[in-house]
Amino acid sequence: MDILPFKHSKFITAYGAPASGKTHLAKFIIQLYYELGFLQWLNVITGSPDDWEGLPEECIVSNTAECRDRFAKTLEEIKKTNPKRKLENLNDDTDPILWYMRNLLEPFGAQIPGMPGVLVLDDLSGDYNFKEKEFVKLFTRYRHYCKRQKTDKEGLMTVVLLSHYAKLITPVVRQAITDCAVFAQTGDDSVKAIFAAIGSYDFGNTKEWTKYLNANTDMEARKFIWFSKKAAPGWPAWQPVICPELPPLSNIFAPQEEEEQPLDKKRKRQDEDTEDVKDPKRPC
């Protein structure tokens, strides 16, 4: 798949029926970005936190009382360290997801230039209207987040949007898409919506698109179609792909073990060390 981050932000969407493999693909992208050194931070906005076992709590953003309490503590810490920064207060009626997007997401991306990261939006289209200003702002301005220098035209934040409600794709999302994964579909409305969003680029009608889609997707095998608007040289725009197995996400965030050394070198190092060795900094 042509999903390597290289030097530009990406807006990746994945559409498919429940349990078709969308979340698995998102985890694969996170693992790939981590291995390539493009994962300095990670946030997953989700209505199903249990699907993201292995991620530290601070990486998860959800509409739960636990997340609201965590953000309340974050708010108090920011007030102490940066009292001039204006943030909205939190109360029992505050939606933690929208509060995060208004108060932490853009300031976070803007204040830490050159820190590439991934933002996952996990099946939110059934609960949130993507025409709301928080989402429109994200979809239209994501390329400006995490800039390396003030003169850079693009930043280094990649957005991964997962949804099984393809018919709720908005025109803004259609314009923002750089890459799209299409998994097995169970409804004609979704097939038509995806054709309108990306299939019409290369397929003459919904009949041709449906035939190609059915021949190249398989829910049990996690087989899907990968589409790139601007595929790199040598990469086709459309590719049937089977998402590989991957290690647990917890491996990314586990403290790294020290490499074994010959006994004499190890003893010498122990004699020279005067401070405790801290765990390397992890994403989030």
Side-chain angles (χ1 to χ4, degrees):
M1 293 183 292
D2 180 24
I3 64 174
L4 299 181
F6 294 122
K7 62 179 181 179
H8 296 301
S9 299
K10 284 182 176 288
F11 191 108
I12 301 171
T13 56
Y15 299 107
S20 58
K22 301 185 300 296
T23 302
H24 186 92
L25 173 63
K27 293 177 179 178
F28 171 77
I29 292 171
I30 291 169
Q31 181 73 33
L32 175 63
Y33 274 41
Y34 170 74
E35 292 175 355
L36 293 172
F38 276 78
L39 190 70
Q40 298 300 315
W41 62 272
L42 167 68
N43 278 131
V44 177
I45 304 179
T46 179
S48 305
D50 292 342
D51 291 345
W52 294 89
E53 182 179 356
L55 286 188
E57 181 185 68
E58 60 266 28
C59 290
I60 300 294
V61 180
S62 62
N63 190 8
T64 61
E66 291 78 10
C67 187
R68 188 182 299 108
D69 292 342
R70 177 159 51 86
F71 284 153
K73 294 179 181 178
T74 300
L75 178 60
E76 291 303 316
E77 292 173 0
I78 293 175
K79 286 182 178 180
K80 292 178 182 178
T81 58
N82 189 1
K84 293 183 179 181
R85 182 173 168 184
K86 295 181 179 180
L87 297 176
E88 299 174 21
N89 289 323
L90 280 154
N91 54 54
D92 293 342
D93 297 328
T94 302
D95 185 316
I97 290 176
L98 296 180
W99 186 89
Y100 160 82
M101 295 181 71
R102 290 193 299 266
N103 294 275
L104 298 183
L105 179 58
E106 184 175 9
F108 177 79
Q111 291 180 10
I112 308 183
M115 294 287 281
V118 174
L119 176 69
V120 179
L121 306 177
D122 179 21
D123 271 337
L124 300 179
S125 55
D127 299 315
Y128 293 88
N129 186 345
F130 283 168
K131 293 181 181 180
E132 292 182 33
K133 61 182 180 180
E134 290 86 357
F135 291 100
V136 172
K137 191 173 185 179
L138 170 64
F139 298 156
T140 56
R141 298 193 61 195
Y142 77 95
R143 290 182 181 274
H144 300 282
Y145 291 48
C146 306
K147 289 186 177 181
R148 287 156 291 179
Q149 298 176 1
K150 292 182 179 180
T151 56
D152 281 354
K153 294 181 180 179
E154 293 193 15
L156 289 169
M157 182 176 80
T158 287
V159 178
V160 182
L161 171 64
L162 314 179
S163 179
H164 58 264
Y165 292 108
K167 61 183 179 181
L168 297 181
I169 301 172
T170 66
V172 172
V173 173
R174 294 180 188 177
Q175 291 296 321
I177 292 173
T178 62
D179 306 85
C180 185
V182 184
F183 289 83
Q185 303 294 318
T186 56
D188 291 339
D189 287 346
S190 293
V191 173
K192 292 177 181 178
I194 298 171
F195 171 77
I198 60 171
S200 56
Y201 281 101
D202 295 288
F203 296 88
N205 51 57
T206 54
K207 185 176 181 180
E208 291 181 13
W209 163 246
T210 303
K211 182 178 179 181
Y212 179 80
L213 176 64
N214 292 338
N216 291 284
T217 57
D218 187 304
M219 188 176 297
E220 292 185 3
R222 291 195 296 268
K223 184 179 180 181
F224 62 95
I225 300 167
W226 182 264
F227 167 73
S228 293
K229 269 188 181 178
K230 296 181 180 180
W235 290 89
W238 299 87
Q239 302 175 65
V241 180
I242 295 178
C243 199
E245 296 292 337
L246 66 153
L249 283 179
S250 56
N251 288 4
I252 295 177
F253 303 92
Q256 298 179 6
E257 295 183 2
E258 186 178 338
E259 295 182 2
E260 292 187 6
Q261 300 177 355
L263 186 58
D264 56 339
K265 291 185 179 180
K266 193 169 185 178
R267 285 175 177 169
K268 182 178 180 180
R269 181 180 175 183
Q270 288 175 343
D271 292 337
E272 293 175 349
D273 285 347
T274 57
E275 298 180 356
D276 293 334
V277 179
K278 297 181 179 179
D279 291 337
K281 186 176 180 181
R282 307 173 304 172
C284 301

